[in-house]
Amino acid sequence: MAHILVTVLRRDRLVVLAGLGGVTVLAWLYLILLAAGMGDGPGAMGEAVDNARPTPWTAGDFALMVLMWSVMMVGMMLPGATPMILLFAMVNRKKREAGHPFVPTGAFALGYAGAWTAFSLFATIGQWALHSAALLSPMLVSTSAVLAGVLFIAAGTYQLTPLKHACLKNCRSPVHFIMTRWRSGGGGALRMGLEHGAYCVGCCWFLMGLLFVLGVMNLLWVAALTILVLVEKAAPHGEWTARISGVAMLAAGLYLLILA
């Protein structure tokens, strides 16, 4: 019986991993195709800004940008959330074996994605504001050294704050989160996903703001930030990675302001 249970748990783990991996790959494929389209020349996405006279956004432009940010957040954040989602699936399976109702792991993942979708809405509003002020290039990179320096300093400062590390602690401790915030049923799983996603947003939102400096569609920098987030959340002593990177960001910001 124990052997059968172990086999089932391993199968569930593989199914969840395959699902998360597939969604992440699809998200990155979308971003690669989008970045390639922007590089081909002017278009709906490539004409994000005309530095002389910014083109007003339509409702469709805004919706496409929310979609872009949402897919990007899935591609960047889902790898770091994988340990939490796997643990949820394992605990849920054991509860089912004990006779409790089964809740699809997708409910938790949907709640997690919902938190980042909310962030994507605010990121799009920020992009629209920068676009309207002619502070973004056609490739969605800041055209102001002062703005770039301020964003680096803001991100670096936040990396060193107690709030950052309180959120990071919850992201790094799936077992503690499960033990203290477990809720039953599909609605409970959705709420748990939203809460865990909110901690991850609180941990990483300033890092995402750096994309306005490094390039929203610069996939090398997007990948670098993805790796930084993953190391912070999953590697031993990841909290020190956050602090060290924060100091580096402060130095970069001061350098940019001096050059401005």
Side-chain angles (χ1 to χ4, degrees), residues 194-212:
L194 280 168
E195 288 183 2
H196 187 69
Y199 278 120
C200 289
V201 171
C203 176
C204 303
W205 69 293
F206 261 107
L207 291 177
M208 299 305 102
L210 289 181
L211 290 173
F212 290 124

Side-chain angles (χ1 to χ4, degrees), residues 28 76 152 211 213-215 218-227:
W28 276 94
M76 295 181 72
F152 262 113
L211 290 173
V213 180
L214 304 171
N218 186 323
L219 296 188
L220 289 178
W221 281 114
V222 172
L225 286 177
T226 301
I227 293 170

Side-chain angles (χ1 to χ4, degrees), residues 14-25 74 78-79 81-83 85-86 105 109:
L14 289 175
V15 169
V16 173
L17 277 174
L20 294 175
V23 171
T24 302
V25 168
V74 168
L78 205 53
T82 297
I85 296 173
L86 287 174
T105 304

Side-chain angles (χ1 to χ4, degrees), residues 38 42 54 62 74 93 120 136 158 171 173 185 208 215 221 223-224 226 253:
M38 290 180 66
F62 190 90
V74 168
R93 167 62 68 179
S120 298
L136 288 179
Y158 187 73
C171 292
S173 306
M208 299 305 102
W221 281 114
T226 301

Side-chain angles (χ1 to χ4, degrees), residues 5-169:
L5 180 58
V6 169
T7 301
V8 170
L9 290 175
R10 286 177 177 173
R11 184 194 65 191
D12 284 357
R13 183 183 180 89
L14 289 175
V15 169
V16 173
L17 277 174
L20 294 175
V23 171
T24 302
V25 168
L26 288 175
W28 276 94
L29 285 175
Y30 173 84
L31 294 176
I32 290 170
L33 291 173
L34 187 59
M38 290 180 66
D40 288 339
M45 302 294 285
E47 288 182 336
V49 158
D50 179 328
N51 288 330
R53 292 186 307 180
T55 304
W57 281 11
T58 65
D61 293 330
F62 190 90
L64 283 172
M65 286 300 177
V66 172
L67 175 62
M68 180 196 76
W69 277 100
S70 298
V71 174
M72 184 182 295
M73 292 305 100
V74 168
M76 295 181 72
M77 297 300 153
L78 205 53
T82 297
M84 179 71 243
I85 296 173
L86 287 174
L87 181 60
F88 176 88
M90 183 186 73
V91 172
N92 197 43
R93 167 62 68 179
K94 288 184 176 180
K95 285 183 173 291
R96 183 187 183 185
E97 294 294 332
H100 297 287
F102 176 75
V103 179
T105 304
F108 181 92
L110 183 63
Y112 183 84
W116 279 107
T117 300
F119 167 82
S120 298
L121 176 62
F122 285 100
T124 302
I125 293 172
Q127 183 180 332
W128 169 80
L130 293 174
H131 164 79
S132 300
L135 290 174
L136 288 179
S137 75
M139 292 303 291
L140 311 182
V141 182
S142 171
T143 58
S144 166
V146 172
L147 174 63
V150 168
L151 288 176
F152 262 113
I153 289 174
T157 300
Y158 187 73
Q159 289 286 91
L160 305 175
T161 62
L163 178 58
K164 158 76 180 191
H165 288 273
C167 292
L168 180 59
K169 181 179 179 180

